[in-house]
Amino acid sequence: MADGRGLATDRAALLALYDLDAGGFRTLDDITSFAAQLCGAPIALVSIVEDVRQRFLARVGLDAEETPRDVSFCALAMLGDNIFVVPDATQDARFIDNALVTGAPHIRFYAGAPLVGGDGEPLGALCVIDTVPRDDLTPLQRQGLSLLARQVMVELEGRRRDRDVIAQQRLDAAAVADSDRMFRTLADTMPQMVWSTLPDGYHDYYNARWYEYTGVPAGSTDGDAWNGMFHADDQPKAWEKWRHSLASGDPYEIEYRLRHRDGLYRWTLGRALPIRDAQGQIIRWIGTCTEIHEQKLMLEEREMIAHELSHRIKNIFSVIAGLIGLSARERPGMQEGADDLRDRILALGRAHDFVRTHGGGVSMAEEQASLHGVLEEIFAPYGGRERLQLSGENPPIDDRSATPLALLFHELATNAAKYGALSTPDGFIALHVVTQGEDIRLDWREEGGPSVAPIASEGFGSRLIALSVERQLGGQLERQWCPEGLRLSLRIPRRSMHRAAAGRA
């Protein structure tokens, strides 16, 4: 009689992993047929031992598809490491009263190779049966039967892996479906219009807000039909930016006019980011459209007001410069001081013009407002780049720092033109800029000018320089009077140069 030693606690759960009820054991049929021929036996079986029965996945020479487990020879064979042999069952106390011995198929000789799963659990046996006693199998038959048993397990383990793969695919598909439902639910609750595309840019999803906003039928903007929703003047730019993002993987961002359901075009901010897999390949793009129409109109109004104010401020600079010139003509003794004052005011005007907002909502500060830029404006009357050699970094500036910087470098340039390097044809100024921690360091060096000596007393220009550096910019200034020319070292906090740097500090 077969006992339960070595059986898994939940035998049914173990065997379910192999998907045995699906059938399709043609390969096992071939193995069983070959085993019978190899061993010269009339019966060969692939037997799987369950809780109360043994079932035959493949069989030769036997009509029965299963038998009770308590008469199973294979239940013992599967527990060993080697081939289990019964030379004559009528002489073996374990099987002498077995119904398969006393009745059909009248087993006398039995040899079974254990079938053991990859996790070490016994499943059953590949066996050959004869109705007459035998001493044993030949060495070749033993070797062959063991090899065939391993091939049976290759087939069964393959089915188990396939089942696991299919189960995982179903779990993955369910997870994707759940994720998709969550995404669509979340997207439909967002105030922004949300859209999604395949890796090649094919639009295949829009949230409810998109259809509500545009008023178009569901699905009508799939594919590349989305571009037709934009103002005709904005379509080429939108296409160009979108193609660039698809080719490069760069984030997509653009402002365009989107057609509202009322037929009017409203300014909208479009953005999209790629979603990548573990290998870095783009698997989808997720984008949003956010209406910015009111903000855009407000910016245009502010731009118009700023432009008008800037124009009036520039006129004020011109009026003041004119008044100074007029006063100097009436009082010739004031001419020299008036000229200096007028030059300083005009320098402020150039600095103001450099950073002020221009038409179209774009400021020169956004395009080119940098230290080098304002220096070139200030030094243009003195020969520009030929007399001012700039090196190092080019930190950004804005309207807050432009005025004190203009006053500072105008004063330095004026002094250099009167007494220093710019007073001679071959003289020049070298200015090196570098970031040191939270400061911007500017090293001013005059070369090729006359020999200079320290100033005995501090004049208005020196006080103006100190005011610009220390009070307005919060910096420090060191000055050296060298025989070959003036040397200055300026340290200005980065946060004083530009608002963006102040925000990061």
Side-chain angles (χ1 to χ4, degrees):
M1 302 291 286
D3 59 30
R5 288 179 296 117
L7 296 182
T9 302
D10 191 345
R11 188 73 175 166
L14 169 67
L15 297 178
L17 299 176
Y18 293 90
D19 200 19
L20 302 179
D21 293 330
F25 297 109
R26 184 172 182 177
T27 300
L28 299 187
D29 291 337
D30 294 340
I31 292 173
T32 304
S33 176
F34 184 70
Q37 296 179 46
L38 173 67
C39 297
I43 300 173
L45 307 169
V46 173
S47 174
I48 299 297
V49 179
E50 300 179 354
D51 289 328
V52 297
R53 66 170 180 170
Q54 66 173 353
R55 61 190 294 191
F56 307 130
L57 302 184
R59 63 191 189 279
V60 171
L62 185 69
D63 292 333
E65 296 181 353
E66 62 179 63
T67 63
R69 189 186 68 83
D70 58 5
V71 297
S72 172
F73 284 60
C74 294
L76 288 176
M78 72 179 184
L79 301 179
D81 296 327
N82 301 310
I83 293 177
F84 177 72
V85 175
V86 178
D88 186 352
T90 61
Q91 303 301 315
D92 191 315
R94 294 170 296 181
F95 302 106
I96 191 170
D97 294 326
N98 190 297
L100 300 179
V101 175
T102 59
H106 303 286
I107 297 175
R108 296 296 178 266
F109 175 78
Y110 173 90
L115 301 176
V116 181
D119 50 8
E121 288 291 341
L123 303 180
L126 169 65
C127 66
V128 292
I129 297 171
D130 205 340
T131 55
V132 296
R134 295 192 195 184
D135 291 335
D136 201 346
L137 296 175
T138 68
L140 178 62
Q141 290 171 336
R142 277 180 166 269
Q143 181 182 14
L145 192 63
S146 295
L147 290 174
L148 291 173
R150 285 200 290 271
Q151 190 60 39
V152 170
M153 286 312 305
V154 168
E155 179 72 14
L156 294 181
E157 291 294 338
R159 292 173 69 91
R160 178 173 178 173
R161 284 192 301 272
D162 291 344
R163 182 184 181 279
D164 290 344
V165 169
I166 293 172
Q168 186 60 49
Q169 288 174 342
R170 288 173 178 168
L171 290 175
D172 292 344
V176 169
D178 288 342
S179 177
D180 184 63
R181 282 193 296 271
M182 291 179 63
F183 168 76
R184 290 174 181 267
T185 301
L186 177 62
D188 284 342
T189 61
M190 293 179 64
Q192 286 87 5
M193 293 165 272
V194 180
W195 47 271
S196 175
T197 82
L198 300 177
D200 62 1
Y202 183 91
H203 286 64
D204 61 352
Y205 170 76
Y206 296 89
N207 71 339
R209 174 63 176 154
W210 167 267
Y211 293 112
E212 175 191 341
Y213 186 89
T214 60
V216 299
S220 62
T221 49
D222 287 355
D224 58 8
W226 56 271
N227 200 42
M229 298 298 298
F230 303 153
H231 192 283
D233 294 343
D234 300 333
Q235 291 179 16
K237 185 179 180 181
W239 263 119
E240 180 183 357
K241 280 186 171 288
W242 182 231
R243 289 192 182 105
H244 170 78
S245 293
L246 292 177
S248 64
D250 292 340
Y252 174 74
E253 183 169 333
I254 186 175
E255 293 181 4
Y256 43 61
R257 286 161 289 182
L258 178 65
R259 190 171 68 240
H260 189 258
R261 62 177 177 271
D262 60 11
L264 301 178
Y265 288 93
R266 302 178 68 84
W267 280 105
T268 305
L269 173 63
R271 287 175 172 166
L273 290 174
I275 297 177
R276 301 178 184 271
D277 60 17
Q279 289 71 43
Q281 297 296 314
I282 295 175
I283 58 175
R284 182 161 284 278
W285 287 83
I286 301 294
T288 61
C289 296
T290 305
E291 186 188 296
I292 56 171
H293 194 71
E294 298 301 326
Q295 298 94 311
K296 192 81 170 177
L297 295 181
M298 289 175 60
L299 286 175
E300 290 177 356
E301 290 176 0
R302 288 175 57 187
E303 160 61 18
M304 181 178 65
I305 294 172
H307 182 76
E308 181 62 25
L309 287 175
S310 177
H311 178 70
R312 295 191 180 194
I313 290 171
K314 189 175 181 182
N315 286 342
I316 290 173
F317 282 132
S318 299
V319 169
I320 293 174
L323 290 174
I324 292 172
L326 180 61
S327 298
R329 285 196 296 273
E330 293 176 351
R331 298 174 178 82
M334 296 174 52
Q335 188 66 49
E336 183 177 354
D339 289 344
D340 286 344
L341 181 57
R342 184 177 61 250
D343 288 344
R344 289 176 179 132
I345 290 173
L346 292 176
L348 289 177
R350 289 196 297 273
H352 167 76
D353 193 55
F354 182 73
V355 297
R356 73 178 179 85
T357 303
H358 289 259
V362 178
S363 69
M364 293 186 69
E366 293 172 348
E367 294 179 342
Q368 61 180 27
S370 62
L371 181 62
H372 288 191
V374 76
L375 288 174
E376 288 172 0
E377 289 286 327
I378 298 300
F379 280 84
Y382 304 100
R385 283 276 189 162
E386 295 181 0
R387 307 297 297 276
L388 176 65
Q389 298 180 2
L390 296 171
S391 61
E393 301 177 30
N394 185 21
I397 65 171
D398 57 19
D399 55 337
R400 180 173 57 176
S401 59
T403 297
L405 288 172
L407 287 174
L408 165 66
F409 285 106
H410 171 75
E411 200 65 31
L412 292 174
T414 300
N415 290 338
K418 289 181 178 180
Y419 315 112
L422 299 183
S423 67
T424 62
D426 297 328
F428 65 91
I429 296 169
L431 182 64
H432 182 71
V433 184
V434 64
T435 300
Q436 292 185 338
E438 295 300 315
D439 294 335
I440 303 293
R441 175 172 174 169
L442 302 94
D443 292 315
W444 171 286
R445 188 180 79 251
E446 297 189 21
E447 300 283 351
S451 179
V452 297
I455 298 176
S457 61
E458 188 180 67
F460 176 76
S462 298
R463 291 195 298 273
L464 182 61
I465 290 175
L467 175 67
S468 299
V469 174
E470 298 172 2
R471 298 282 186 86
Q472 295 181 281
L473 294 173
Q476 298 176 343
L477 180 146
E478 295 179 3
R479 190 173 350 206
Q480 291 181 318
W481 301 95
C482 300
E484 60 273 16
L486 177 65
R487 303 286 189 271
L488 285 99
S489 179
L490 305 172
R491 283 183 176 273
I492 301 174
R494 284 193 303 133
R495 64 178 181 274
S496 298
M497 300 288 281
H498 197 274
R499 288 183 177 83
R504 292 191 296 268

